[in-house]
Amino acid sequence: MADRILVAYATRYGSTAEVAEAIGDELRKAGETVDVRPITGVTDLSPYRAAIIGSPIYMGKWLPEPQVFIERHQQHLQSIPVAYFTVGLTVKEGTPEFLRKAEASMDQVRLLVNPVEVGVFPGRLDTGRLSIADRAIVKLIRAKTGDFRDLGAVRTWARAVREKIALA
Ligand SMILES: Cc1cc2nc3c(=O)[nH]c(=O)nc-3n(C[C@H](O)[C@H](O)[C@H](O)COP(=O)(O)O)c2cc1C
């Protein structure tokens, strides 16, 4: 029976995984049965009555794995409530322009499956963890480093998503 909620994520350095865990934890507190999974580990959607899918932004875009997943499971995902969340550093600036850019990273997946809700959250950039290539890019664009995540805001969003799922 499809009675579980899936929270599936992509991540390169773990910060989006922790955002996904906070979403899952909040839903469980509200009484839901939830699986929080790396998106590459999800093959069967039949146990789920809703899906929350998230990715960090790299160079303005979602990572490829969730996009491929949504393409592959488009038909099934169109039949259940779906929400998307995005984790990115520019989100912390909070200006309409930066928020618009962060939201634009979801344009492709929104065309594939129309979500009941979307969320954009500030992420974490820790140069000590980065690959050589990513470190070079970060140096080039002079990105600010630090952990800007607000898990309280993430949890508030998770509660709002639960309500939207119930109404869908
Ligand atoms: C090479 C590189 C490119 C990035 N590009 C963007 C970007 O275009 N927009 C943005 O908001 N954040 C960008 N970020 C920040 C990441 O989205 C942020 O660090 C996020 O929390 C990483 O998630 P992860 O730890 O789950 O991989 C970039 C980070 C790196 C290292």
Side-chain angles (χ1 to χ4, degrees):
M1 197 178 118
D3 56 359
R4 310 173 77 85
I5 298 179
L6 172 68
V7 182
Y9 61 88
T11 188
R12 237 183 232 177
Y13 300 108
S15 62
T16 308
E18 288 169 10
V19 169
E21 289 293 351
I23 293 168
D25 185 57
E26 196 61 28
L27 294 173
R28 281 187 202 110
K29 273 192 197 159
E32 303 290 352
T33 309
V34 185
D35 291 334
V36 181
R37 299 263 185 274
I39 199 140
T40 46
V42 182
T43 49
D44 179 15
L45 281 173
S46 63
Y48 302 110
R49 65 180 180 87
I52 301 174
I53 300 173
S55 174
I57 315 176
Y58 283 90
M59 306 309 282
K61 295 185 171 158
W62 266 28
L63 288 174
E65 300 89 335
Q67 311 216 36
V68 169
F69 180 90
I70 293 162
E71 263 171 42
R72 187 170 298 149
H73 297 281
Q74 182 182 20
Q75 213 175 352
H76 192 123
L77 289 168
Q78 281 171 342
S79 70
I80 59 174
V82 170
Y84 295 138
F85 68 95
T86 291
V87 177
L89 264 204
T90 57
V91 180
K92 77 176 166 43
E93 309 295 339
T95 63
E97 173 63 9
F98 279 122
L99 285 176
R100 195 193 55 72
K101 275 194 183 154
E103 288 215 2
S105 69
M106 293 181 276
D107 282 354
Q108 286 290 94
V109 291
R110 287 179 90 145
L111 284 176
L112 290 167
V113 178
N114 194 27
V116 294
E117 188 62 277
V118 295
V120 287
F121 305 113
R124 176 189 68 202
L125 188 61
D126 174 357
T127 43
R129 296 169 189 249
L130 301 181
S131 67
I132 291 171
D134 281 352
R135 205 174 307 159
I137 294 169
V138 163
K139 211 171 160 189
L140 201 69
I141 60 175
R142 296 200 183 114
K144 273 196 197 126
T145 56
D147 189 350
F148 305 98
R149 287 171 302 168
D150 177 353
L151 295 182
V154 170
R155 287 173 182 275
T156 302
W157 181 82
R159 290 196 296 275
V161 169
R162 182 171 176 258
E163 280 172 28
K164 290 272 172 77
I165 289 171
L167 292 173

